[in-house]
Amino acid sequence: MNDWPDRRTGDRSERYGRGSASPQPEGARSMPHIQRRPAQPRTPQRPQVPPQSQGYDDRYQDGGYQDGGYGSSPEPGYDSGYNTGQVYGSGSGDSGGRGGGGRRGGGDGGYVQGRPAPDWRRRIKLGALTLVVVVLAVSISTYFWADSKLKREVDLSKVIERPESGDGTNYLIVGSDSREGMSAEEKKRLRTGSAEGKRTDSMMILHDGSNGPTLISLPRDSNVEIPTFVGSESGKKFQGTGRQVKLNAAYAEDGPELLVRTVEFNTGLHIDHYVEIGFGGFAKIVDAIGGVEMDIPKAFKDKKSGADFQAGKQTLNGEQSLAFVRTRYAFAGSDLDRTKNQQKFLAALASQTATPSTIINPFKLYPTMGAGLDTLIVDKDMSLWALGNMFFAMKGVTGGEGTSMNMPISGSVGGNLVWDKAKVKQLVQQLNNDEKVTVKGN
């Protein structure tokens, strides 16, 4: 096998060197001359800098390596892929800078490929988009969390012979003396007693309409008639006999459904939603927001409720707040004066809760919502959106946008307060038509 290039002269028998059979001395012979073809020019793939003083060429610069022989020329168009000695973006001296430096070098004009300047407009857009996505995700998860905590236990479909709905939305808001979930220590501290069952301690109608909210207190000692109704548990129909009782007796007899039925029958006003909160939940909400500031015009004290207040501005905690809204024996107007304090306090609670410092602060928002939602009982059709509307309507009562009043009273019978039927009829008509309320209450 011939292991010399094809263009050499001589044959194997004329080899020279150690072990050669030729009679000629080794120095008398010369290396055969090899013809070389010029290398094909290559199109540069990227900007090049001039070769350095002694550039290294893997192809030995003046020849290729083919078929195991040294010195043979590459075929036309052949590209071995080896570096030809040019240096890109690196080197020393006058190479023009370091690779990846993002600038043009000096010296002989060497070029370093630059990195583009930061696109701050794009970064700001991406940051804003990320923030929006995070806020939406938190808001949506909070909504579903809060919605899942609502106790939808009142079925208004069981209420029969209901009046037609008017304009706006009517909420029946009830404060019960329920001790559910309270420990013996809490009952003692809050002076709630340990009575079994539930009774209504306060009742209000909140109308939310285009002419601003209207908050109407229904004294629990109001004289009302128990109409025909269907038992919420038994499903049995109980025929009305014209029986006259205090309003809170309706709740004690058959719960929220009979209370709604009694209010609608005696007023002619359609109730859209029902909301109830117990003693424990009420106190926890107040403590969760850090107390409620009240301006008490005159000092009063009541042993039964535990109230002991001085005149002037002060911040009430949960225990003090509960005592404030329950007190009636310390006032000349008894239940009527108590309902006025309840309205004043609830409006202040709503106003001080619906603030940026509470809404955007998760350390206040979640405890407040948790405390309220854990003890709220609402109707089956109540949505979290409707509950929020009720809350902000309550806030509007003290913001100069609405009206607060007691149900108009014409006198009393057997210790029960009798409603003024003419004024009540006018009031209900204005509410149904969503007109500005001009009727004055007690």
Side-chain angles (χ1 to χ4, degrees):
M1 176 179 179
N2 186 358
D3 55 357
W4 285 89
D6 292 340
R7 285 183 288 275
R8 67 177 176 83
T9 59
D11 54 25
R12 288 180 72 93
S13 64
E14 297 177 347
R15 261 193 250 175
Y16 65 91
R18 182 176 300 175
S20 172
S22 171
Q24 294 182 353
E26 185 177 69
R29 299 182 60 85
S30 62
M31 288 288 291
H33 180 71
I34 301 173
Q35 295 282 348
R36 294 183 176 87
R37 290 180 299 202
Q40 295 295 324
R42 295 175 57 198
T43 302
Q45 299 299 315
R46 51 181 172 175
Q48 301 177 354
V49 297
Q52 303 302 307
S53 57
Q54 292 295 328
Y56 178 79
D57 190 346
D58 282 340
R59 293 181 301 137
Y60 308 109
Q61 296 194 17
D62 59 347
Y65 186 85
Q66 182 177 0
D67 293 339
Y70 172 79
S72 62
S73 299
E75 294 298 326
Y78 173 81
D79 183 1
S80 68
Y82 288 96
N83 193 306
T84 58
Q86 289 85 353
V87 180
Y88 295 92
S90 62
S92 61
D94 58 356
S95 61
R98 298 179 178 177
R103 55 189 172 85
R104 290 183 182 273
D108 296 334
Y111 175 86
V112 178
Q113 186 170 357
R115 182 170 55 190
D119 188 345
W120 291 108
R121 181 177 298 178
R122 182 172 179 270
R123 292 186 180 185
I124 291 173
K125 287 181 179 180
L126 288 175
L129 179 60
T130 302
L131 179 61
V132 170
V133 170
V134 171
V135 170
L136 284 176
V138 171
S139 300
I140 293 172
S141 61
T142 299
Y143 180 91
F144 283 104
W145 166 79
D147 188 74
S148 67
K149 294 180 74 68
L150 283 178
K151 298 180 180 179
R152 297 180 172 90
E153 300 177 0
V154 180
D155 189 357
L156 295 183
S157 66
K158 295 179 180 179
V159 181
I160 63 172
E161 301 177 13
R162 309 190 66 185
E164 293 184 2
S165 297
D167 295 331
T169 304
N170 299 315
Y171 301 86
L172 180 59
I173 304 172
V174 174
S176 76
D177 62 1
S178 171
R179 285 90 173 166
E180 183 179 353
M182 296 175 63
S183 65
E185 182 181 348
E186 289 175 323
K187 293 176 183 178
K188 182 179 180 181
R189 179 172 58 87
L190 298 176
R191 296 174 180 262
T192 63
S194 300
E196 297 296 329
K198 294 191 298 183
R199 287 167 294 278
T200 53
D201 213 52
S202 61
M203 290 162 283
M204 303 177 188
I205 294 174
L206 175 65
H207 174 81
D208 184 19
S210 58
N211 278 290
T214 301
L215 185 62
I216 308 161
S217 286
L218 309 176
R220 73 174 195 172
D221 293 339
S222 298
N223 193 76
V224 294
E225 178 183 341
I226 297 293
T228 300
F229 69 97
V230 174
S232 59
E233 297 294 335
S234 65
K236 181 180 177 181
K237 189 172 186 178
F238 296 89
Q239 196 66 38
T241 60
R243 179 164 49 105
Q244 304 287 314
V245 298
K246 290 182 179 180
L247 181 58
N248 66 339
Y251 182 94
E253 186 172 333
D254 198 51
E257 289 84 0
L258 180 55
L259 179 61
V260 171
R261 168 71 174 132
T262 302
V263 169
E264 289 187 341
F265 177 82
N266 286 270
T267 63
L269 186 69
H270 181 91
I271 300 299
D272 297 292
H273 293 294
Y274 177 91
V275 181
E276 177 187 327
I277 188 169
F279 282 160
F282 181 83
K284 288 178 181 177
I285 291 175
V286 175
D287 287 334
I289 66 170
V292 175
E293 186 179 69
M294 295 290 297
D295 188 1
I296 300 176
K298 186 178 179 180
F300 66 90
K301 191 173 183 178
D302 181 25
K303 291 183 178 180
K304 289 192 174 183
S305 67
D308 187 3
F309 298 104
Q310 300 299 316
K313 287 186 177 181
Q314 51 204 288
T315 300
L316 310 185
N317 61 24
E319 180 182 348
Q320 294 170 324
S321 300
L322 190 56
F324 181 82
V325 299
R326 294 181 63 206
T327 299
R328 64 170 176 163
Y329 295 107
F331 308 126
S334 188
D335 204 31
L336 289 176
D337 285 341
R338 178 171 69 168
T339 57
K340 292 176 183 178
N341 279 344
Q342 290 171 346
Q343 290 180 348
K344 184 178 180 180
F345 182 86
L346 290 178
L349 174 63
S351 179
Q352 294 174 40
T353 302
T355 60
S357 63
T358 298
I359 294 175
I360 66 176
N361 183 354
F363 297 102
K364 290 184 69 175
L365 176 63
Y366 286 97
T368 302
M369 294 181 68
L373 296 173
D374 280 341
T375 56
L376 277 182
I377 296 175
V378 298
D379 63 273
K380 292 183 180 297
D381 294 327
M382 174 72 83
S383 66
L384 194 62
W385 181 262
L387 187 63
N389 287 339
M390 183 203 80
F391 188 78
F392 281 98
M394 184 78 75
K395 179 182 178 181
V397 172
T398 55
E401 305 170 4
T403 303
S404 62
M405 58 184 292
N406 273 321
M407 187 66 81
I409 305 297
S410 61
S412 63
V413 56
N416 296 347
L417 299 174
V418 178
W419 294 349
D420 187 323
K421 292 185 178 180
K423 287 186 176 181
V424 170
K425 183 178 180 180
Q426 183 183 2
L427 172 63
V428 170
Q429 183 178 6
Q430 290 176 344
L431 294 177
N432 278 332
N433 295 332
D434 207 11
E435 300 172 352
K436 187 172 181 61
V437 173
T438 59
V439 177
K440 302 297 182 182
N442 295 77

